[in-house]
């Protein structure tokens, strides 16, 4: 029997989801706010979590992000009264496995839930290393030796791209296409701005030369 945590603050909806899932053979626990949902998810092992976005205390996006940062990769199906591709993108970007907009069909809810259960929990993303520089894609943390380096989201994305291509020369356009997008219409020199920021945080305080500029070609991050 699969055990499912439902985190939903609307008691009527939570009760209906619980009854529907129990009728399909699931064992169900219910939490009525984000803080309680985090407690349940930390204290018990679940096969899947049905997580509303608009929750008291801690919203669903944050609950999902916290669990992923802590290494909890239980499959998450996110529910929301919102709609639109940006809300779906935010849900998936925080680590959710699937997304369902309210009002929803219980038939579809059960089908989506069974689908993510078949896939099972995802593996934690692999840590990236370049010498004593370590980047954790799951928690969005960077450490240099024993020191944590605070980066913005865009700085982190640039560094992650360079570390995944360690010891290779990558062009400015490759960085733009990966970290920004194919249709970026701003100044391509924005890449230089972010590389300088990374150097100020990673290289200059420690007398390093981790990120090299290859004249006329792009950048190379030393992998060792």
């Amino acid at each position: 029997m699969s055990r499912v945590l439902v985190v939903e603050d609307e008691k009527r909806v939570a009760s209906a989801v619980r009854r529907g899932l129990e009728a399909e053979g699931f064992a169900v626990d219910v939490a009525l706010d984000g803080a309680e949902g985090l407690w349940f998810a930390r204290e018990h092992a679940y096969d899947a979590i049905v997580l509303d976005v608009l929750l008291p205390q801690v919203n669903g996006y944050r609950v999902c992000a916290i669990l992923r940062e802590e290494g909890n990769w239980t499959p998450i199906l996110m529910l929301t009264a919102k709609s639109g591709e940006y809300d779906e993108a935010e849900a998936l970007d925080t680590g959710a496995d699937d997304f369902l907009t309210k009002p929803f069909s219980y038939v579809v809810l059960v089908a989506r839930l069974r689908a993510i259960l078949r896939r099972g929990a995802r593996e934690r993303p692999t840590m990236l290393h370049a010498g004593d520089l370590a980047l954790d894609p799951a928690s969005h943390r960077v450490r240099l030796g024993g020191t944590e380096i605070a980066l913005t989201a865009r700085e982190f994305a640039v560094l992650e791209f360079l570390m995944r291509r360690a010891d290779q020369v990558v062009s400015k356009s490759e960085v733009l296409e990966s970290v920004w997008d194919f249709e970026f219409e701003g100044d391509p020199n924005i890449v230089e701005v972010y590389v300088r920021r990374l150097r100020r945080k990673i290289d200059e305080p420690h007398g390093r030369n981790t990120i090299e500029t290859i004249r006329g070609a792009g950048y190379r991050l030393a992998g060792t």
Side-chain angles (χ1 to χ4, degrees):
M1 178 182 291
S2 296
R3 189 176 186 187
V4 176
L5 172 64
V6 175
V7 189
E8 167 61 68
D9 65 312
E10 295 183 48
K11 292 183 179 180
R12 180 183 58 80
V13 175
S15 295
V17 171
R18 171 183 241 163
R19 288 195 304 271
L21 293 180
E22 287 178 342
E24 294 291 333
F26 293 95
V28 183
D29 289 333
V30 171
L32 296 175
D33 61 57
E36 187 179 32
L38 275 173
W39 184 87
F40 270 99
R42 287 164 168 163
E43 294 296 318
H44 305 285
Y46 293 98
D47 296 293
I49 299 172
V50 178
L51 176 65
D52 189 29
V53 168
L54 300 177
L55 294 169
Q57 298 193 42
V58 186
N59 72 43
Y61 294 134
R62 188 65 189 134
V63 169
C64 183
I66 289 170
L67 291 176
R68 296 319 190 213
E69 288 169 5
E70 294 177 351
N72 185 327
W73 294 95
T74 302
I76 292 176
L77 174 62
M78 198 167 275
L79 304 177
T80 179
K82 295 182 177 183
S83 61
E85 60 184 14
Y86 292 107
D87 298 312
E88 181 173 355
E90 186 171 359
L92 298 176
D93 283 346
T94 56
D97 296 85
D98 203 354
F99 177 98
L100 194 58
T101 303
K102 295 177 179 177
F104 52 83
S105 157
Y106 286 100
V107 173
V108 174
L109 172 65
V110 171
R112 295 279 187 92
L113 195 53
R114 292 196 191 283
I116 65 173
L117 285 168
R118 284 195 298 271
R119 295 198 295 267
R122 293 176 290 165
E123 293 184 6
R124 183 183 179 89
T126 303
M127 288 277 292
L128 302 178
H129 294 275
D132 57 351
L133 182 66
L135 181 147
D136 187 348
S139 65
H140 274 235
R141 289 178 176 166
V142 174
R143 299 187 69 84
L144 181 60
T147 304
E148 186 161 342
I149 307 294
L151 300 180
T152 67
R154 190 75 74 178
E155 290 166 353
F156 184 94
V158 172
L159 180 62
E160 181 177 3
F161 178 77
L162 294 174
M163 289 186 71
R164 290 189 184 280
R165 303 281 293 276
D167 292 322
Q168 301 177 37
V169 178
V170 296
S171 67
K172 188 182 299 182
S173 63
E174 287 178 293
V175 179
L176 275 174
E177 290 171 2
S178 175
V179 177
W180 280 265
D181 58 48
F182 290 99
E183 299 178 357
F184 177 74
E185 296 180 353
D187 187 347
N189 289 326
I190 191 69
V191 176
E192 296 177 19
V193 172
Y194 278 89
V195 168
R196 282 198 299 271
R197 289 182 182 180
L198 289 172
R199 284 174 173 153
R200 283 199 295 269
K201 293 183 176 184
I202 295 170
D203 286 345
E204 293 174 11
H206 305 281
R208 303 162 59 95
N209 187 29
T210 305
I211 305 172
E212 305 173 76
T213 296
I214 310 301
R215 189 175 296 277
Y219 305 98
R220 179 173 58 208
L221 184 141
T224 56

